[in-house]
């Protein structure tokens, strides 16, 4: 097995916030089966903050641990704070990842950011739509 | 904790008889077989005995065996050595898509040196069609190398049919029999080959032991130039303990071949029937082809191999996978992709490879532990969620 830190193993064996959110405010999907990892993040936004974050992951131990850690780091943050979560910060929180698994940490933050973008795009469309209706 | 080792495709444990056969050549009979004195002769006798044992297992003459450091060296020596010795005649060689990397990458190196390489495709069961090989033959083809049994999915290729076509044209034929030797009958005349690779560590011999059979009179350029060891075809002082160990492993393999086959076949049937019954949406790879009794490659949809292997390892089960994440190169198994398995399924592929030490209880244990692991990972799989939504 790859040399994973205790923290990675903990998140792999007991992933936090696994699941989906019905009527999520934002959904972000990244990855493909060729690279071997796929992640979907679901967010619920309340008052500009991430009220709930859930994820599903198809992938290796690192991919699962990264998604779990990202969900934990993002929970309760403002959208701007969550957007500022970097791949590097995720890897650091996990006490490091094997070099050939660093790309997994990129996917985690990317999926979260995509969910936030999705929320913002929907929100902007709603606002714009509302304006037209007036 | 209980450990169930199902990764004999990676390596096998050395038998106690093998260890006993090796031990004297590390201490009392430490001589160099090339030396003329008694110490040297004792070591030379050990090599001679091992040579005869290895030759007996594959039905060749003792002098047709060249000992190497492993299966990879044997394959490199075969592919490069046979091609180099014929390059004035032509620079085209043929292999298949599902060769071991020691054949594929040796061929790639030859390509960089100006050779042309054709890789014949395989069907969904991993079988090479002899007709495809025939169509790939050119006037300048000097070597064809097709694996005897694939180490990952276990497909046994129609080597006798392929070699007949190739050798009728006067072209040299090599087969990589690393995965098959010691598990199923391997006979150089029945297979009709000019060269054949084997590795001791695949049939309960030591790591660091391999051999290349080269038919009498077949020209070969050495990889390792040196002294007269291996009749000048492989320089370097012989690794006498490893050679003695390989010889003993070959001797025992010859005695136990039928017993091994029956035992492993029973385990294979039990495992595959059990997996199919216990887990939905799976496929046993190469199930429609003649296969090694020691291999079960199973693709499990919606989940990824490394995470299954990690949970299995925590339960005491050692297996392997064809997924990108488990390969250092981060690429899915070229064998599965060559068989048209598709990336998603390849990512969820587990390889269980049994050995003579495994029991039916080992299989029961896997059948007890794996299904909940799959269920747990499917629960967190976006692919499974999508599948359930789509299928209502």
């Amino acid at each position: 097995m790859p040399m994973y830190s205790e923290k990675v193993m903990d998140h792999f064996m007991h992933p936090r916030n696994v699941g989906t959110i019905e009527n999520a405010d934002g959904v972000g999907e990244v990855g493909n089966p060729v690279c071997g990892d796929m992640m979907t993040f679901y967010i619920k936004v309340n008052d500009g903050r991430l009220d709930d974050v859930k994820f599903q992951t198809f992938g290796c131990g690192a991919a699962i641990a990264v998604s779990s850690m990202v969900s934990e780091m993002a929970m309760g943050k403002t959208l701007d704070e969550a957007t500022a979560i970097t791949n590097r910060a995720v890897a650091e929180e996990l006490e490091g990842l094997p070099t050939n698994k660093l790309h997994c940490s990129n996917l985690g933050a990317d999926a979260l950011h995509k969910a936030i973008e999705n929320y913002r795009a929907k929100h902007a469309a709603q606002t714009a739509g509302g304006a037209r209706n007036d | 904790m209980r450990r169930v080792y199902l990764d004999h495709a990676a390596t096998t444990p050395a038998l106690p008889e093998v260890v006993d056969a090796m031990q004297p050549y590390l201490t009392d009979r430490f001589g160099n077989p090339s030396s003329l004195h008694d110490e040297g002769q004792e070591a030379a006798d050990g090599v001679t005995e091992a040579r005869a044992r290895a030759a007996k297992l594959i039905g060749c003459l003792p002098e047709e065996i060249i000992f190497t450091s492993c299966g990879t060296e044997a394959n490199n020596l075969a592919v490069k050595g046979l091609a180099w010795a014929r390059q004035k005649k032509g620079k085209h060689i043929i292999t298949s898509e599902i060769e071991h990397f020691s054949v594929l990458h040796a061929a790639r190196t030859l390509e960089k040196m100006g050779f042309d390489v054709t890789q014949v495709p395989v069907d969904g069961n991993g079988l090479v069609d002899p007709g495809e090989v025939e169509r790939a033959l050119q006037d300048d083809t000097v070597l064809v190398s097709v694996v005897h049994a694939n180490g990952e999915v276990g497909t046994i290729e129609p080597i006798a049919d392929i070699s007949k076509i190739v050798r009728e044209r006067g072209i040299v034929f090599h087969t990589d029999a690393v995965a098959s030797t010691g598990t199923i009958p391997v006979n150089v005349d029945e297979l009709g080959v000019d060269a054949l690779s084997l590795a001791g560590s695949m049939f309960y011999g030591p790591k660091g032991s391999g051999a290349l059979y080269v038919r009498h009179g077949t020209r070969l350029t050495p990889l390792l130039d040196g002294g007269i060891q291996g009749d000048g075809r492989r320089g370097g002082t012989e690794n006498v303990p490893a050679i003695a160990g390989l010889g003993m492993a070959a001797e025992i393999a010859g005695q136990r071949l039928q017993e091994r086959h029956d035992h492993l076949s029973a385990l294979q049937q039990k495992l595959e029937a059990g997996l199919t019954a216990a887990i939905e949406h799976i496929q046993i790879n190469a199930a429609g082809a003649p296969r090694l009794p020691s291999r079960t490659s199973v693709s499990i949809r919606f989940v990824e191999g490394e995470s299954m292997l990690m949970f299995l390892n925590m339960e005491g089960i050692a297996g392997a996978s064809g997924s990108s994440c488990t390969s250092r190169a981060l690429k899915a198994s070229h064998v599965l992709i060559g068989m048209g398995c598709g990336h998603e399924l390849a990512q969820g592929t587990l390889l269980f490879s049994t050995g003579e030490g495994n029991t039916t209880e080992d299989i029961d244990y896997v059948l007890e532990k794996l299904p909940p692991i799959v269920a747990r990972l499917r629960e967190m799989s976006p692919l499974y969620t999508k599948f359930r939504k789509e299928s209502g």
Side-chain angles (χ1 to χ4, degrees):
Chain A
M1 297 298 125
M3 290 303 290
Y4 286 138
S5 69
E6 270 180 45
K7 202 127 178 211
V8 171
M9 288 306 287
D10 177 43
H11 277 264
F12 168 66
M13 287 162 69
H14 312 287
R16 284 62 145 172
N17 309 307
V18 174
T20 60
I21 298 174
E22 285 297 318
N23 308 315
D25 295 324
V27 181
E29 248 183 70
V30 295
N32 64 69
V34 177
C35 98
D37 296 316
M38 294 175 77
M39 296 175 191
T40 309
F41 267 78
Y42 299 83
I43 55 171
K44 203 83 191 159
V45 183
N46 195 0
D47 223 4
R49 279 182 189 276
L50 291 173
D51 219 20
D52 199 6
V53 181
K54 289 258 192 295
F55 76 90
Q56 286 200 310
T57 292
F58 164 92
C60 62
I64 291 172
V66 160
S67 342
S68 168
M69 178 55 85
V70 167
S71 74
E72 206 169 53
M73 288 167 78
M75 193 73 80
K77 293 251 166 50
T78 65
L79 294 183
D80 286 341
E81 284 166 349
T83 308
I85 294 173
T86 61
N87 303 323
R88 203 172 160 170
V90 178
E92 270 169 19
E93 275 298 312
L94 283 168
E95 292 165 0
L97 284 167
T99 327
N100 67 343
K101 297 284 186 182
L102 275 171
H103 70 284
C104 300
S105 65
N106 300 354
L107 285 184
D110 288 354
L112 173 73
H113 297 161
K114 255 186 148 168
I116 294 171
E117 274 169 37
N118 176 245
Y119 163 79
R120 284 182 165 150
K122 277 205 274 188
H123 202 68
Q126 272 166 14
T127 314
R132 263 200 306 278
N133 283 341
D134 282 342
Chain B
M1 191 178 86
R2 175 173 189 164
R3 294 294 304 175
V4 173
Y5 184 78
L6 294 173
D7 196 13
H8 293 79
T11 194
T12 60
L15 293 168
E17 296 92 325
V18 166
V19 177
D20 289 346
M22 295 173 68
Q23 208 274 335
Y25 295 102
L26 290 161
T27 51
D28 296 348
R29 300 183 213 157
F30 63 88
N32 182 329
S34 296
S35 304
L36 288 177
H37 44 62
D38 286 4
E39 285 81 355
Q41 281 314 296
E42 277 180 347
D45 289 348
V47 174
T48 301
E49 186 184 27
R51 193 184 292 284
R53 285 171 159 170
K56 196 171 117 198
L57 181 66
I58 61 170
C60 71
L61 299 170
E63 59 269 28
E64 292 174 316
I65 297 277
I66 303 169
F67 288 112
T68 64
S69 64
C70 55
T72 288
E73 188 194 329
N75 280 338
N76 269 267
L77 178 56
V79 174
K80 294 175 185 164
L82 292 169
W84 284 337
R86 285 160 186 76
Q87 57 182 324
K88 281 188 186 148
K89 200 176 145 201
K91 287 195 163 188
H92 178 241
I93 64 175
I94 299 171
T95 64
S96 86
E97 275 186 332
I98 60 161
E99 298 300 311
H100 187 260
F101 284 129
S102 53
V103 168
L104 288 181
H105 292 175
R108 192 181 291 171
T109 296
L110 288 176
E111 245 176 345
K112 286 181 194 152
M113 296 172 144
F115 282 80
D116 278 329
V117 181
T118 302
Q119 277 186 22
V120 292
V122 294
D123 70 9
N125 283 307
L127 280 169
V128 172
D129 173 3
E132 289 276 359
V133 176
E134 186 163 24
R135 282 187 284 282
L137 291 173
Q138 300 176 186
D139 290 341
D140 60 343
T141 306
V142 289
L143 171 69
V144 177
S145 178
V146 176
V147 68
H148 181 208
N150 177 270
E152 245 182 86
V153 294
T155 304
I156 300 170
E157 302 296 343
I159 294 301
D161 297 341
I162 301 171
S163 67
K164 190 166 177 284
I165 293 167
V166 172
R167 292 178 75 216
E168 265 171 10
R169 302 267 203 110
I171 298 164
V172 170
F173 185 80
H174 164 257
T175 192
D176 165 9
V178 167
S180 53
T181 304
T183 299
I184 59 170
V186 171
N187 180 290
V188 297
D189 289 330
E190 282 168 22
L191 294 172
V193 297
D194 297 297
L196 179 146
S197 306
L198 59 92
S201 59
M202 288 291 112
F203 56 98
Y204 315 100
K207 287 161 200 61
S209 70
L212 180 66
Y213 152 79
V214 181
R215 190 173 289 275
H216 183 76
T218 308
R219 282 175 303 115
L220 177 81
T221 303
L223 290 184
L224 298 183
D225 292 306
I228 52 131
Q229 300 93 345
D231 279 340
R233 293 174 299 182
R234 204 269 185 184
T237 299
E238 291 89 343
N239 183 353
V240 186
I243 288 170
L246 184 150
M248 181 54 84
E251 179 75 21
I252 294 171
Q255 293 161 8
R256 296 191 192 161
L257 215 47
Q258 188 62 47
E259 191 189 326
R260 266 182 200 165
H261 181 272
D262 295 347
H263 176 61
L264 296 172
S265 291
L267 296 181
Q268 186 182 45
Q269 280 167 27
K270 184 179 169 64
L271 176 62
E272 294 180 4
L275 289 173
T276 308
I279 308 172
E280 278 190 309
H281 313 301
I282 68 168
Q283 74 178 37
I284 307 290
N285 295 307
R291 253 188 312 152
L292 290 178
S294 51
R295 299 286 189 280
T296 290
S297 165
V298 55
S299 297
I300 304 177
R301 286 185 72 189
F302 317 120
V303 288
E304 190 276 333
E306 188 201 279
S307 43
M308 283 191 279
L309 286 185
M310 286 173 70
F311 279 124
L312 284 171
N313 188 50
M314 283 179 225
E315 298 285 4
I317 299 165
S321 168
S323 94
S324 308
C325 289
T326 53
S327 84
R328 301 219 165 175
L330 299 176
K331 279 189 181 160
S333 153
H334 67 288
V335 175
L336 296 168
I337 299 302
M339 288 166 60
C341 179
H343 279 93
E344 186 202 316
L345 264 181
Q347 302 298 357
T349 300
L350 293 179
L351 167 60
F352 294 115
S353 46
T354 51
E356 65 170 30
N358 288 123
T359 61
T360 52
E361 287 76 27
D362 290 344
I363 303 303
D364 285 329
Y365 188 69
V366 174
L367 292 174
E368 176 197 331
K369 296 297 178 187
L370 181 58
I373 292 172
V374 172
R376 177 178 181 167
L377 288 168
R378 279 184 176 164
E379 273 314 304
M380 67 167 87
S381 164
L383 294 171
Y384 191 51
T385 302
K386 211 169 265 177
F387 169 79
R388 276 193 304 188
K389 257 188 200 156
E390 283 163 9
S391 59

